[in-house]
Amino acid sequence: MKMTRTRSLLITILSAVLLACGTTMPPDELVAARTAYNRAAAGKTKELQPTQLYEAKQALDAAEAKFKDEGVSPDT
C-alpha cells in the first residue's frame, strides 16, 4: 500500500510539472500593456479621456485574444 501511495503521488507531481511546462508565458509587451491599462483605468483617465481608454481596452482585448489563439506572435 505504501508503494501505491508513493507512486500515485509521483504521478500527480509529474503531471503537474508537465502541465506547467506546456503553459506559454505572455510576452513582456503584453504584460506591460495590461499594467498600463489597469493603471489608467484606475485613475482619472476614464473621466478625462474615456474615448482613448475605450480604444486602449479594445486594443488590449485584441492582443489578449491573439495570444490566447496563437501564443506569442508579432500580432500579440
Side-chain angles (χ1 to χ4, degrees):
M1 177 150 174
K2 190 174 188 179
M3 185 61 120
T4 304
R5 183 180 284 167
T6 303
R7 185 175 178 193
S8 177
L9 180 61
L10 182 60
I11 290 171
T12 302
I13 291 171
L14 286 174
S15 297
V17 168
L18 289 174
L19 264 172
C21 291
T23 303
T24 302
M25 297 299 293
D28 292 339
E29 294 86 351
L30 183 54
V31 173
R34 290 173 184 162
T35 302
Y37 175 80
N38 289 333
R39 190 173 294 144
K44 292 190 176 203
T45 305
K46 61 184 161 192
E47 296 171 22
L48 301 174
Q49 301 290 329
T51 302
Q52 286 83 353
L53 187 63
Y54 174 78
E55 290 171 356
K57 180 64 172 155
Q58 297 301 310
L60 181 58
D61 288 347
E64 294 280 9
K66 281 284 188 181
F67 176 68
K68 182 181 175 189
D69 293 342
E70 301 174 9
V72 177
S73 73
D75 291 334
T76 302

